[in-house]
Amino acid sequence: MKKYSILFGSLLATALAINAPQASAFGISSLTSAIPGVSGGAASSNVSAADIDVFIKTAQDADAMIASSTDYIFRALADKADIEKYEAGMAQARTIADPKEQQAAIDKIKDDEVTATQKQLASADIQQKLNGMSKEKLKAFGNAAFTYMLGVLKDKQLADGSRALVTGVAANPVLVGRLAALKDVVSSVSSQAVNTAKIGDGLVKIASAGKVITLPTSSSDKAKAVATF
């Protein structure tokens, strides 16, 4: 599980780099297989519109994996009162007329969900809660944990490839019009670093403690279906 400790540290380093004022600070490594057709860290005319599409699609997939898995893990571990508070907060947020204010409220509630989930995973009675789950519920929990960490691995792959892609797009007059949108996606990938580390550390500890859950070993692993409550 040392691999995951290195992974979280790398993601956090990327987040710090991308949030720095330097416009060129995107990513921490050379481009990986997340961006086919581009290699190394050099700005390259080999970057294509398809490379941008793959990057954005992979980021969207990773985001969906992390979001759905977080929601399941939260509901599997939280008390009924906490779940009801979360649902009431989300319902209230969705009534806000201003789109920006609504999204800000939803993001705050989701951040609170992440924090609550992290606390549950780190609690002294987490093993007791897992032992008390039915076989079916424990399998569903394991699927959510696996898919969550797969999303984290995909984000890491994207973070490693972001510098070369952004540099390549910036140097390509045909693609430069898509640079702003690409930077938004890169920034979004990095912003997940802190939150994924919060929950990820807890899942890694559970996986290390026994055979309750297994975690993916590669970003190319297939996601497992995440149940809903």
Side-chain angles (χ1 to χ4, degrees):
M1 295 302 169
K2 182 179 179 182
K3 165 185 177 181
Y4 282 101
S5 296
I6 296 172
L7 168 69
F8 293 135
S10 180
L11 277 170
L12 289 170
T14 303
L16 291 174
I18 293 177
N19 288 316
Q22 291 83 3
S24 62
F26 286 87
I28 55 174
S29 185
S30 61
L31 197 61
T32 66
S33 57
I35 315 299
V38 186
S39 61
S44 172
S45 59
N46 290 334
V47 174
S48 69
D51 297 327
I52 301 173
D53 292 340
V54 169
F55 188 97
I56 293 174
K57 177 63 165 59
T58 303
Q60 291 171 339
D61 290 347
D63 186 64
M65 290 177 192
I66 290 170
S68 62
S69 299
T70 298
D71 191 63
Y72 183 88
I73 295 169
F74 167 73
R75 292 172 182 274
L77 300 176
D79 295 332
K80 181 180 178 181
D82 289 334
I83 295 173
E84 290 176 347
K85 179 181 178 181
Y86 169 81
E87 291 177 342
M90 288 297 282
Q92 176 62 33
R94 292 192 177 103
T95 66
I96 298 174
D98 183 270
K100 289 185 178 180
E101 291 182 6
Q102 182 188 92
Q103 191 58 54
I106 290 174
D107 289 344
K108 174 64 169 61
I109 294 168
K110 288 183 177 179
D111 285 344
D112 291 343
E113 180 190 41
V114 169
T115 299
T117 303
Q118 184 272 330
K119 288 181 179 179
Q120 289 288 346
L121 290 170
S123 65
D125 64 345
I126 179 61
Q127 197 59 53
Q128 182 179 347
K129 286 187 176 182
L130 294 175
N131 291 340
M133 290 182 181
S134 66
K135 184 177 179 180
E136 292 75 17
K137 188 173 182 179
L138 188 58
K139 180 181 178 180
F141 181 90
N143 286 351
F146 183 97
T147 299
Y148 181 93
M149 294 306 298
L150 182 59
V152 172
L153 288 176
K154 287 184 179 295
D155 272 348
K156 170 60 169 60
Q157 188 179 42
L158 292 171
D160 282 352
S162 60
R163 176 191 287 270
L165 184 62
V166 169
T167 304
V169 170
N172 189 322
V174 176
L175 300 175
V176 72
R178 299 186 65 181
L179 184 59
L182 176 61
K183 285 184 177 181
D184 285 344
V185 176
V186 171
S187 180
S188 177
V189 168
S190 79
S191 70
Q192 286 199 112
V194 174
N195 283 346
T196 56
K198 286 179 181 178
I199 294 178
D201 281 343
L203 295 177
V204 169
K205 288 176 182 177
I206 292 173
S208 300
K211 298 181 178 180
V212 176
I213 62 174
T214 59
L215 301 179
T217 58
S218 168
S219 62
S220 62
D221 286 348
K222 184 177 180 181
K224 295 184 178 181
V226 178
T228 57
F229 277 89

